[in-house]
């Protein structure tokens, strides 16, 4: 069931996930489309998440946005009143961040390792960090050890911060501790995106990669074909998996396996490495007297790709 | 005492072999009206360099192809148009499998699906003599002259090809007495089904594998006409005793039953466990995913001879099950068993880029088949009971394999 | 006139042994048609292999005939059906 509408206010609104923003020219969503989008969300009972560009919006846009309860996802250059802040530059990450902020950082695995100090400084100031890895598609089995090492480094920092009594969530490592079922992105099932061209997309990634790949518009409504294939129960590799923190990105699925309900080897291995690191971190926290109210017991796994269990032809 | 091996290549490896298909040409003498190959042409002929690279790629990776047996298949267009290339490929395969001590040397076949037009030619016959013990050749003949020529026509003259094919049937059956033929039924063929199957029996073909096309071609009342044809065919087969020695895949005891969601959840089609290679050296999960087979979708390329197979692009095929791709109506269908599908057609007809949306164009034809099939078995078993022959029949009955593509 | 009679049955494992040898024998025979002596290494390997495979093939029949005591006939031969694992005695009186 749809619960959220994401509205990209401008073609240059920054990415908050795996995809890249491929459009460089500013194009603000039409005011009428913005208002229609808000009306659509009100009638469908959807929570709206606005993704802001890195410039100030005209007054009439601000007025329209403020006419409805919503979440502001903003680039760090426009951090006023942001509910979620998208960080763009490692140098800037530790200045002027409010303690209760949720931040998103998009980075390759190498960038994360190279900027570990800044990452730790950032984590010590905020309540939640979402890390979006930008190079999932080029991950290979040769990278398993280096990713394990990266997660272990971040986990050490998370541990050190939590040990001081501060509350901190990092999606890759702590989400799994709180989950007892899949918490995937669910694009096209729980959320849908309205792009600046007035058309709906399963998520911003589909808009930026092929603007023809729409699933309806404000005039004719949503038309999501094969929506069942976006659901967990129609994903044979995922439906029995317990790497609950995995985003199960349907855009990456389509890009790498050609079918949106099928995750790539990369996505599965990365999610399982995170799963195992969560397990290590939880054990370490428990061993050292930090109580985490986890409802789901995490047991480490040797098999990093559930495909090898599900493969019907092996 | 001497010893012999009973030749029963029909049951060779019971479908457990890896199938590797060379699309040697996209050309054919015919332009069959029901042919799913929408992109046939005279230009895309495989050259030796690509064929050799493909063979080397596959044989270099013995561990990635662990199946005990292999069927090297040659498809077109019409494969025998490229008999010289095929001969060179087969010689190289034999030498290389042997030189490398590859496990497939102990269990391989060369398999062909041909229109039969140049079957008698010296080049083809010499090839057959040279590789006789490893051959599986199917000639497609659709039945009576009228039925055959309705669809299987020459591409330029639109003349029917029946006469040119039927003259080669005796030679084919002499060389391969247990050979089977494949018949495809489209809407316009329905009135000729009974006569066609009986005609093929009379030509000496004892196994007729026949199926309706999966494409959405069916007209109103086709199911009624189809059922009537099958019932007439059933009467003929039973009344004339053909059931003792002849088989027709329309009639099977295993179709028309509900299917368990969990126990009967396997995919029907073997796409993904097959490998097809085209003239450009691209790999496909099955020939039906090559561009020349697709109407509305882009080719599903899983790699090429230079870069190898991208295993990610095979994952959807290898995890595909029956229920995930089926609608609730299909899952709960009371006569689900035996209702076939083609993964390539599913993909081509799907609303999105997926192999997980089962096409149901064949639904009413399957239901008609089930009704006629029930009639057939009820009638046959009653007759056998009356004659006291039921047990004997059970022991000796001809096994028919479901063959759909 | 040909007469046939089922005289025994082997296990699926025994069937697999003879089927593999049969397939190999056929493979070697057809390879021999295209291999010439100038491909010396492969040719020598083939000649040796044909001898060894032929011997193993015959040994299988001798061993199994003795083990199971299959009925025989001076004008007959045995056949194996790979699907059923049955051994048939075929007698040709012509």
């Amino acid at each position: 069931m749809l619960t959220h509408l994401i509205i990209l206010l401008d073609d240059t609104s920054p990415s908050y996930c795996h995809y890249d923003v491929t459009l460089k020219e500013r194009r603000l969503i039409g005011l009428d489309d913005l208002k229609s989008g808000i009306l659509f969300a009100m009638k469908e009972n959807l929570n709206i998440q606005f993704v802001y560009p890195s410039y100030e919006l005209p007054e009439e846009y601000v007025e329209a946005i403020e006419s409805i309860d919503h979440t502001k996802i903003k680039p760090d250059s426009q951090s006023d009143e942001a509910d979620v802040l998208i960080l763009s530059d490692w140098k800037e990450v530790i200045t002027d961040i409010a303690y209760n902020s949720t931040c998103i950082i998009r980075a390759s695995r190498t960038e994360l390792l190279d900027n570990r100090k800044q990452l730790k400084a950032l984590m010590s100031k905020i309540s939640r960090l979402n890390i979006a890895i930008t190079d999932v598609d080029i991950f290979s089995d040769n990278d398993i050890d280096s990713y394990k090492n990266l997660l272990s480094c971040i986990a050490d920092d998370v541990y050190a911060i939590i040990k001081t009594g501060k509350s901190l969530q990092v999606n890759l490592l702590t989400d799994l501790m709180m989950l007892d079922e899949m918490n995937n992105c669910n694009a096209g099932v729980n959320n849908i995106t309205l792009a600046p061209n007035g058309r709906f997309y399963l998520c911003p990634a589909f808009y930026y990669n092929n603007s023809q790949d729409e699933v309806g518009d404000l005039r004719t409504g949503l038309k999501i074909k094969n929506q069942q294939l976006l659901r967990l129960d129609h994903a044979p590799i995922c439906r029995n998996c317990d790497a609950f923190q995995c985003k199960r990105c349907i855009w990456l699925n389509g890009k790498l396996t050609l079918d949106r309900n099928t995750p790539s080897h990369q996505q599965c291995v990365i999610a399982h490495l995170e799963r195992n690191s969560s397990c290590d971190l939880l054990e370490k926290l428990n061993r050292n007297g930090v109580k985490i109210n986890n409802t789901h017991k995490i047991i480490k796994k040797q098999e990093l790709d559930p495909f090898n269990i599900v493969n019907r032809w092996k | 005492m001497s010893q012999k091996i009973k030749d029963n290549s029909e049951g060779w490896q019971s479908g457990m072999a890896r199938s590797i298909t060379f699309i040697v040409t996209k050309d054919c003498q015919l332009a069959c009206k029901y042919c799913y190959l929408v992109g046939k042409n005279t230009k895309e002929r495989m050259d030796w360099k690509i064929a050799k690279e493909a063979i080397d790629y596959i044989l270099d990776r013995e561990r990635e192809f662990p199946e005990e047996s292999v069927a090297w298949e040659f498809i077109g267009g019409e494969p025998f148009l490229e008999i010289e290339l095929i001969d060179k490929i087969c010689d190289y395969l034999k030498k290389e499998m042997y030189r490398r001590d590859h496990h497939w040397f102990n269990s391989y076949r060369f398999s062909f699906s041909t229109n039969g037009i140049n079957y008698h030619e010296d080049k083809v016959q010499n090839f057959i003599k040279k590789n006789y013990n490893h051959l599986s050749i199917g000639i497609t003949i659709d039945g009576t002259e009228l039925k055959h020529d309705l669809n299987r026509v020459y591409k330029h003259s639109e003349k029917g090809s029946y006469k040119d094919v039927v003259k080669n049937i005796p030679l084919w059956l002499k060389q391969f007495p247990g050979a089977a033929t494949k018949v495809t039924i489209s809407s316009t063929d329905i009135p000729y089904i009974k006569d066609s199957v009986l005609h093929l029996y009379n030509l000496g073909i004892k196994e007729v594998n026949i199926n309706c096309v999966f494409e959405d071609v069916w007209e109103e009342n086709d199911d009624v006409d189809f059922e009537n044809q099958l019932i007439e065919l059933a009467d003929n087969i039973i009344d004339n005793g053909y059931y003792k020695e002849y088989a027709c895949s329309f009639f099977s005891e295993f179709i028309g039953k509900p299917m368990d969601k969990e126990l009967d959840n396997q995919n029907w089609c073997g796409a993904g466990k097959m490998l097809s290679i085209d003239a450009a050296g691209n790999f496909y999960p099955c020939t039906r995913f090559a561009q020349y087979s697709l109407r509305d979708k882009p080719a599903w390329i899983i790699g090429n001879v230079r870069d190898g197979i991208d295993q990610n692009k095979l994952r959807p095929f290898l995890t595909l099950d029956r229920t995930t791709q089926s609608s609730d109506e299909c899952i709960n269908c009371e006569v689900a068993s035996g209702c076939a599908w083609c993964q390539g057609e599913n993909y081509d007809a799907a609303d999105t880029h997926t192999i997980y949306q089962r096409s149901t164009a064949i639904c009413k034809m399957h239901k008609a088949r089930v009704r006629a099939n029930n009639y057939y078995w009820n009638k046959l078993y009653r007759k056998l009971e009356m004659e006291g022959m039921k047990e004997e029949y059970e022991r000796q009955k001809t096994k028919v394999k479901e063959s759909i593509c | 006139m040909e007469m046939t009679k089922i005289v025994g049955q082997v296990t699926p494992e025994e069937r697999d042994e003879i089927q593999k040898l049969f397939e190999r024998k056929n493979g070697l025979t057809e390879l021999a048609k295209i291999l010439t002596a100038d491909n010396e290494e492969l040719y020598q390997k083939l000649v040796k292999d044909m001898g060894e495979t032929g011997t193993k093939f015959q040994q299988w029949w001798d061993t199994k005939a003795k083990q199971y005591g299959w009925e025989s006939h001076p004008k007959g031969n045995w056949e194996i059906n790979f699907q059923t694992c049955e051994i048939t005695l075929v007698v040709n009186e012509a």
Side-chain angles (χ1 to χ4, degrees):
Chain A
M1 184 184 152
L2 281 180
T3 55
H4 286 79
L5 175 66
I6 298 156
I7 299 183
L8 298 176
L9 291 169
D10 190 278
D11 275 352
T12 60
S13 293
S15 169
Y16 58 87
C17 202
H18 297 302
Y19 66 94
D20 289 325
V21 171
T22 54
L23 301 170
K24 306 294 177 206
E25 300 290 318
R26 286 182 184 181
R27 177 171 65 158
L28 198 56
I29 189 169
L31 187 59
D32 288 344
D33 285 343
L34 175 63
K35 287 178 178 170
S36 299
I38 292 169
L39 185 64
F40 175 85
M42 290 169 81
K43 289 202 271 191
E44 297 295 328
N45 221 14
L46 306 178
N47 297 306
I48 304 181
Q49 297 176 330
F50 291 106
V51 188
Y52 282 67
S54 58
Y55 61 90
E56 278 202 28
L57 295 178
E59 192 55 40
E60 59 272 30
Y61 280 71
V62 174
E63 204 175 296
I65 288 168
E66 294 307 327
S67 68
I68 180 93
D69 190 23
H70 64 274
T71 301
K72 290 181 169 69
I73 302 175
K74 289 186 150 191
D76 48 8
S77 60
Q78 296 285 318
S79 60
D80 282 359
E81 296 179 28
D83 298 296
V84 178
L85 208 55
I86 306 168
L87 303 173
S88 59
D89 189 335
W90 285 103
K91 285 179 197 155
E92 306 288 330
V93 297
I94 54 172
T95 58
D96 298 329
I97 304 265
Y99 171 67
N100 281 323
S101 300
T102 292
C103 289
I104 294 172
I105 189 118
R106 295 181 71 246
S108 68
R109 286 162 284 136
T110 314
E111 283 173 321
L112 286 168
L113 201 58
D114 291 349
N115 293 284
R116 190 180 159 193
K117 272 187 189 164
Q118 287 95 319
L119 192 65
K120 187 176 180 186
L122 172 68
M123 290 192 296
S124 64
K125 297 185 88 178
I126 61 175
S127 58
R128 178 173 173 85
L129 177 64
N130 285 346
I131 299 174
I133 306 279
T134 53
D135 55 356
V136 172
D137 52 343
I138 57 164
F139 182 93
S140 81
D141 284 355
N142 297 327
D143 299 329
I144 287 176
D145 285 340
S146 66
Y147 193 55
K148 236 191 245 180
N149 178 49
L150 170 65
L151 291 169
S152 166
C153 290
I154 301 173
D156 286 347
D157 295 341
V158 171
Y159 171 77
I161 294 167
I162 291 178
K163 195 74 176 88
T164 64
K166 183 182 173 300
S167 171
L168 172 65
Q169 294 176 9
V170 177
N171 62 334
L172 306 184
L173 292 166
T174 63
D175 280 6
L176 186 62
M177 298 175 192
M178 317 296 169
L179 295 167
D180 56 8
E181 61 179 7
M182 274 288 193
N183 182 42
N184 311 134
C185 160
N186 289 330
V189 179
N190 291 349
N191 61 79
I192 203 77
T193 293
L194 178 64
N197 64 0
R199 297 174 189 278
F200 290 116
Y201 295 85
L202 294 176
C203 85
F206 290 94
Y207 172 61
Y208 286 112
N209 280 276
N210 176 10
S211 63
Q212 305 292 312
D213 212 351
E214 63 183 64
V215 289
D217 56 45
L218 287 164
R219 202 170 40 80
T220 57
L222 273 176
K223 287 188 195 86
I224 306 176
K225 292 173 178 169
N226 278 330
Q227 193 180 23
Q228 79 282 1
L229 296 180
L230 307 176
R231 292 197 321 248
L232 182 63
D233 63 345
H234 276 65
I237 297 179
C238 308
R239 61 190 167 209
N240 294 315
C241 178
D242 66 354
F244 296 147
Q245 87 295 347
C246 177
K247 284 296 123 201
R248 205 166 74 78
C249 173
I250 57 164
W251 170 68
L252 276 177
N253 289 356
K255 184 177 169 188
L256 296 175
T257 72
L258 305 181
D259 227 317
R260 288 172 187 166
N261 71 341
T262 307
S264 62
H265 175 67
Q266 291 91 319
Q267 189 154 357
C268 289
V269 170
I270 286 173
H272 279 72
L273 290 170
E274 291 161 3
R275 188 189 174 286
N276 285 350
S277 290
S278 292
C279 182
D280 286 341
L281 177 59
L282 182 62
E283 272 175 21
K284 193 172 170 184
L285 288 166
N286 285 338
R287 252 196 334 267
N288 290 282
V290 181
K291 179 91 181 105
I292 302 287
N293 290 325
N294 61 308
T295 51
H296 162 64
K297 187 168 169 57
I298 317 169
I299 300 163
K300 276 180 91 167
K301 283 182 178 171
Q302 291 296 313
E303 178 59 73
L304 297 176
D305 188 352
F307 165 79
N308 295 323
I309 299 157
V310 180
N311 181 358
R312 304 182 73 84
W313 292 90
K314 69 178 178 219
Chain B
M1 281 282 288
S2 62
Q3 299 85 29
K4 264 198 213 162
I5 303 290
K6 189 171 170 61
D7 180 14
N8 52 5
S9 55
E10 293 157 60
W12 186 70
Q13 296 304 325
S14 313
M16 295 303 286
R18 166 70 80 147
S19 150
I20 297 172
T21 306
F22 294 89
I23 306 170
V24 287
T25 176
K26 291 179 182 168
D27 192 14
C28 182
Q29 306 97 318
L30 304 182
C32 301
K33 290 175 183 167
Y34 52 58
C35 184
Y36 64 86
L37 302 173
V38 290
K40 280 195 292 193
N41 64 75
T42 55
K43 290 176 194 132
E44 291 180 77
R45 299 168 60 202
M46 185 175 279
D47 64 26
W48 167 241
K49 184 174 171 288
I50 291 290
K52 183 179 177 302
E53 279 177 7
I55 294 167
D56 289 341
Y57 174 85
I58 293 160
L59 295 183
D60 279 347
R61 287 160 182 79
E62 191 169 355
R63 281 174 57 192
E64 291 169 37
F65 295 88
E67 295 82 1
E68 217 170 290
S69 309
V70 62
W72 300 103
E73 300 189 340
F74 298 90
I75 195 169
E78 166 50 37
F80 283 151
L81 289 176
E82 294 295 336
I83 188 65
E84 281 151 350
L85 172 69
I86 290 169
D87 188 44
K88 196 169 176 180
I89 290 174
C90 292
D91 282 358
Y92 185 68
L93 277 169
K94 286 183 283 188
K95 281 184 201 163
E96 279 302 295
M97 286 191 294
Y98 187 65
R99 188 182 67 77
R100 295 164 183 256
D101 290 320
H102 196 290
H103 69 282
W104 280 345
F105 184 77
N106 289 336
S107 196
Y108 70 92
R109 289 290 182 274
F110 298 132
S111 177
F112 298 84
S113 186
T114 171
N115 61 30
I117 290 171
N118 56 0
Y119 185 82
H120 63 286
E121 287 176 7
D122 287 346
K123 282 178 193 168
V124 176
Q125 284 301 309
N126 289 337
F127 174 82
I128 290 172
K129 278 180 203 132
K130 196 165 138 186
N131 296 286
Y132 181 75
N133 287 310
H134 289 92
L135 292 183
S136 163
I137 301 178
I139 293 183
T140 302
I141 178 163
D142 267 4
T144 59
E145 185 167 3
L146 183 64
K147 154 55 172 118
H148 184 96
D149 286 347
L150 204 63
N151 282 310
R152 301 187 68 81
V153 295
Y154 281 93
K155 68 178 167 187
H156 297 305
S157 66
E158 296 204 9
K159 192 187 95 178
S161 61
Y162 176 84
K163 285 194 170 71
D164 295 328
V165 180
V166 81
K167 70 178 186 204
N168 285 327
I169 297 296
L171 173 61
W172 174 54
L173 288 176
K174 190 177 158 203
Q175 291 172 327
F176 303 100
T181 195
K182 191 163 69 72
V183 181
T184 308
I185 301 295
S186 192
S187 181
T188 50
D189 306 314
I190 292 171
Y192 312 102
I193 292 172
K194 177 203 69 177
D195 289 343
S196 291
V197 173
L198 296 174
H199 180 75
L200 294 171
Y201 286 173
N202 290 330
L203 287 176
I205 300 168
K206 292 191 173 173
E207 185 177 328
V208 178
N209 293 315
I210 186 164
N211 66 275
C212 294
V213 296
F214 294 100
E215 286 78 3
D216 190 7
V217 297
W218 306 107
E219 307 281 346
E220 202 181 339
N221 287 327
D222 274 356
D223 52 337
V224 178
D225 297 340
F226 180 55
E227 183 182 329
N228 290 337
Q229 275 290 312
L230 292 195
I231 283 178
E232 284 182 38
L233 177 62
D235 286 339
N236 257 282
I237 290 175
I238 295 168
D239 296 345
N240 296 314
Y242 285 118
Y243 60 86
K244 292 172 192 162
E245 280 188 75
Y246 295 80
C248 171
S249 63
F250 271 143
F251 302 119
S252 160
E253 284 180 282
F254 307 106
I255 71 161
K257 313 280 190 302
M259 292 177 82
D260 188 277
K261 280 183 202 172
E262 273 149 34
L263 299 175
D264 284 331
N265 197 22
Q266 64 276 20
N267 191 27
W268 178 280
C269 166
K273 277 309 281 180
M274 304 186 270
L275 182 67
S276 289
I277 307 128
D278 73 1
N282 288 322
F283 291 139
Y284 304 92
C286 154
T287 305
R288 191 64 173 75
F289 288 85
Q291 196 61 65
Y292 82 139
S293 307
L294 295 162
R295 300 178 304 273
D296 296 324
K297 291 284 191 329
W300 192 301
I301 298 172
I302 58 167
N304 60 59
V305 292
R306 291 163 296 280
D307 306 322
I309 295 172
D310 179 351
Q311 295 294 335
N312 269 334
K313 296 190 170 69
L314 277 177
R315 284 161 75 98
F317 293 89
L318 302 181
T319 53
L320 185 60
D321 57 52
R322 182 177 67 86
T323 53
T324 308
Q325 64 187 302
S326 301
S327 64
D328 285 347
E329 189 186 350
C330 292
I331 292 170
N332 299 319
C333 177
E334 291 291 318
V335 293
S337 65
C339 183
W341 61 84
C342 161
Q343 223 62 55
E345 173 56 22
N346 284 1
Y347 168 59
D348 209 1
D351 294 325
T352 57
H353 191 291
T354 184
I355 56 167
Y356 279 76
Q357 185 189 349
R358 183 171 157 191
S359 165
T360 53
I362 206 168
C363 176
K364 68 175 183 179
M365 304 306 282
H366 172 70
K367 286 175 177 163
R369 177 191 171 199
V370 167
R371 290 190 293 272
N373 185 61
N374 291 341
Y375 170 85
Y376 175 88
W377 291 105
N378 280 314
K379 177 166 175 162
L380 178 61
Y381 275 125
R382 185 64 185 153
K383 180 185 177 188
L384 292 168
E385 273 168 10
M386 302 288 278
E387 293 170 354
M389 296 297 288
K390 193 174 170 191
E391 276 179 28
E392 174 69 10
Y393 176 79
E394 292 274 17
R395 210 175 62 77
Q396 294 202 343
K397 67 184 162 191
T398 316
K399 280 188 183 143
V400 178
K401 58 181 179 292
E402 287 280 348
S403 169
I404 59 156
C405 51
Chain C
M1 201 178 102
E2 193 178 84
M3 287 186 15
T4 61
K5 182 183 176 187
I6 294 170
V7 293
Q9 193 169 26
V10 293
T11 64
E13 292 73 27
E14 289 169 328
R15 181 268 319 271
D16 291 346
E17 287 169 23
I18 193 64
Q19 187 167 16
K20 199 169 167 184
L21 286 167
F22 171 69
E23 288 283 340
R24 187 164 187 84
K25 217 164 146 259
N26 283 339
L28 293 170
T29 307
E30 288 183 351
L31 181 62
K33 291 179 192 170
I34 57 166
L35 216 55
T36 49
D38 47 324
N39 191 342
E40 203 184 323
E41 199 184 333
L42 215 52
Y43 186 78
Q44 291 303 331
K45 182 180 168 183
L46 174 72
V47 171
K48 189 165 168 260
D49 204 341
M50 286 180 90
E52 285 172 1
T53 306
T55 306
K56 282 182 197 164
F57 186 82
Q58 190 56 46
Q59 274 171 354
W60 187 93
W61 284 101
D62 294 344
T63 310
K64 300 301 161 199
K66 200 172 163 192
Q67 179 186 334
Y68 288 107
W70 293 326
E71 182 184 332
S72 61
H73 190 281
K75 288 181 180 172
N77 60 270
W78 291 309
E79 285 183 359
I80 180 168
N81 183 323
F82 286 143
Q83 279 173 316
T84 61
C85 300
E86 286 169 341
I87 306 295
T88 308
L89 174 65
V90 181
V91 180
N92 200 330
E93 299 285 8

